Amino acid sequence: MLIWKKLGRIFNPRDYHNLWFQDYAQAPSTLLFDDFIRVYFSCRPPRDNNGQFISYSTYLDLAKNDLFKILKISSKPILALGDRGCFDEFGTYPVSVIRHNDSLFAYYAGWTRCKSVPFTVAIGCAKSYNQGKTFEKISNGPIMGASLYDPCGCGGPKIRFFNGKFYLFYISVQKWLLIDGRNEIVHRIRVAISDDGIKYNRINKNLIPTFWDKDESQASPDVFYKNGKYHMFFCGWNPNNFRHTGFRTIGYAFSTDLINWIRDDSKAGITISKASDAFDNEMVAYPHIFELNNKIYMLYLGNEVGRYGFGLAELEGDLD
């Protein structure tokens, strides 16, 4: 069993009353620079008069020698929302950034509102010309959207580069359930592969088997290579009872070929905190793994899917 030692909460947006956003710091992901670590995340301004919200993606910078020292918080989003009628008109969430051949690319989920269900989602791509401070979309349209095998859309991108190819891990929206009068989403983890980072070949299979429920939702598939295996940490929940239990937790799987995965949640090594006042005593979710100075760290969300920010954990021991 892996053990993640929780080091504490890095960022709580509610501690910063003068921010341009006021709520949530969701789906953190990192980009390493020489002197600092940039953490991209998604946030929300207050709801409008009709109770609707929008989401943006932004970043903060952490000192490499002290991951709890915030050097800078961006004063604006990294991406503009889409034009009227576009797939990303009402939000960008989450975002995953990769450095490739001296260029920076962001893959992001854009969503727009619907009538029968709350939203539909697709994946867009953007490029930065100022070292990741902002990004310009390569197109007003998505690079991946609803398809024959992703019937209700796709989102949650996590981009990786392995063996000379781009691997875009994402969530395929399978269907919507109506539970106690509320719409609940069902999505599963999949992967698409590309030579150029723009045109993707979808594998069209669910990578991770269900465990908690046949309609289990899975998200945030973070994959890295270590000790001869590909390791995936992800989060999941049961949409049939999530609103009553608040249950979201982190799972684990491994693979030797990036297509066929063996799930073993007993090795996830992290769960909710026991302290009654902890920011993560109800859920741990949306993991992101990164390496620094020969150590492996995890950023993760706490209660209410990141409303109160994200925390940091360090892997004790090594991955087998």
Side-chain angles (χ1 to χ4, degrees):
M1 177 178 176
L2 304 175
I3 298 177
W4 292 93
K5 179 183 177 182
K6 293 183 178 180
L7 303 179
R9 177 168 42 179
I10 287 180
F11 178 64
N12 180 359
R14 296 194 165 192
D15 290 340
Y16 298 82
H17 302 295
N18 59 340
L19 289 178
W20 57 274
F21 60 90
Q22 297 182 21
D23 230 351
Y24 293 92
Q26 298 179 302
S29 65
T30 59
L31 185 69
L32 272 61
F33 290 81
D34 290 340
D35 300 321
F36 62 90
I37 294 178
R38 180 155 291 162
V39 181
Y40 293 97
F41 62 94
S42 297
C43 57
R44 305 179 192 177
R47 293 177 182 267
D48 64 21
N49 293 334
N50 297 318
Q52 297 278 10
F53 68 84
I54 56 178
S55 62
Y56 291 104
S57 293
T58 189
Y59 70 87
L60 56 80
D61 292 337
L62 304 175
K64 263 190 172 180
N65 60 357
D66 182 358
L67 294 177
F68 287 86
K69 183 178 181 181
I70 298 175
L71 303 175
K72 177 183 178 181
I73 301 174
S74 179
S75 61
K76 60 183 179 181
I78 61 169
L79 277 166
L81 296 184
D83 294 337
R84 182 176 176 86
C86 287
F87 77 103
D88 51 357
E89 180 180 359
F90 295 104
T92 61
Y93 164 63
V95 65
S96 181
V97 178
I98 190 170
R99 184 183 285 113
H100 184 70
N101 291 339
D102 297 323
S103 295
L104 287 179
F105 292 92
Y107 294 80
Y108 67 98
W111 60 271
T112 191
R113 295 169 185 161
C114 297
K115 186 173 180 63
S116 62
V117 296
F119 61 85
T120 187
V121 63
I123 296 172
C125 181
K127 185 176 182 179
S128 178
Y129 298 92
N130 57 7
Q131 291 298 304
K133 295 177 181 177
T134 58
F135 289 81
E136 297 181 15
K137 301 171 189 177
I138 66 169
S139 169
N140 285 333
I143 61 169
M144 283 177 46
S147 71
L148 185 65
Y149 298 99
D150 302 314
C152 299
C154 56
K158 290 290 188 76
I159 188 67
R160 296 291 180 264
F161 192 78
F162 296 121
N163 308 316
K165 294 184 181 294
F166 293 89
Y167 283 78
L168 184 60
F169 295 90
Y170 70 98
I171 54 175
S172 168
V173 183
Q174 309 276 287
K175 59 183 175 180
W176 286 85
L177 304 175
L178 190 63
I179 307 295
D180 297 331
R182 298 188 62 147
N183 285 292
E184 302 291 354
I185 197 169
V186 176
H187 42 59
R188 303 286 300 283
I189 294 169
R190 293 186 173 182
V191 67
I193 305 171
S194 173
D195 291 321
D196 63 4
I198 303 299
K199 298 178 181 178
Y200 279 88
N201 175 36
R202 308 186 206 202
I203 300 303
N204 293 326
K205 63 172 285 187
N206 297 331
L207 300 185
I208 307 300
T210 58
F211 177 75
W212 301 296
D213 185 85
K214 66 180 179 63
D215 287 327
E216 171 183 311
S217 276
Q218 303 164 349
S220 194
D222 215 39
V223 176
F224 66 105
Y225 183 79
K226 193 75 172 179
N227 296 337
K229 295 179 184 177
Y230 297 96
H231 304 266
M232 180 193 294
F233 289 86
F234 61 95
C235 73
W237 63 96
N238 180 356
N240 288 289
N241 62 18
F242 166 69
R243 299 295 172 180
H244 299 293
T245 65
F247 172 83
R248 291 195 194 204
T249 194
I250 292 173
Y252 169 82
F254 67 90
S255 172
T256 57
D257 63 5
L258 293 163
I259 305 300
N260 300 288
W261 293 81
I262 297 174
R263 180 174 182 172
D264 187 356
D265 288 359
S266 69
K267 293 185 176 181
I270 189 168
T271 187
I272 60 174
S273 296
K274 295 181 179 180
S276 60
D277 59 347
F279 87 105
D280 58 352
N281 63 0
E282 295 177 0
M283 71 168 63
V284 288
Y286 286 76
H288 170 72
I289 313 299
F290 67 98
E291 292 188 67
L292 179 66
N293 298 329
N294 297 317
K295 295 181 179 180
I296 298 176
Y297 295 95
M298 176 190 290
L299 294 173
Y300 68 95
L301 303 184
N303 299 348
E304 296 185 43
V305 203
R307 169 164 273 176
Y308 310 103
F310 53 83
L312 178 71
E314 180 183 338
L315 182 65
E316 295 189 333
D318 202 359
L319 294 162
D320 58 20

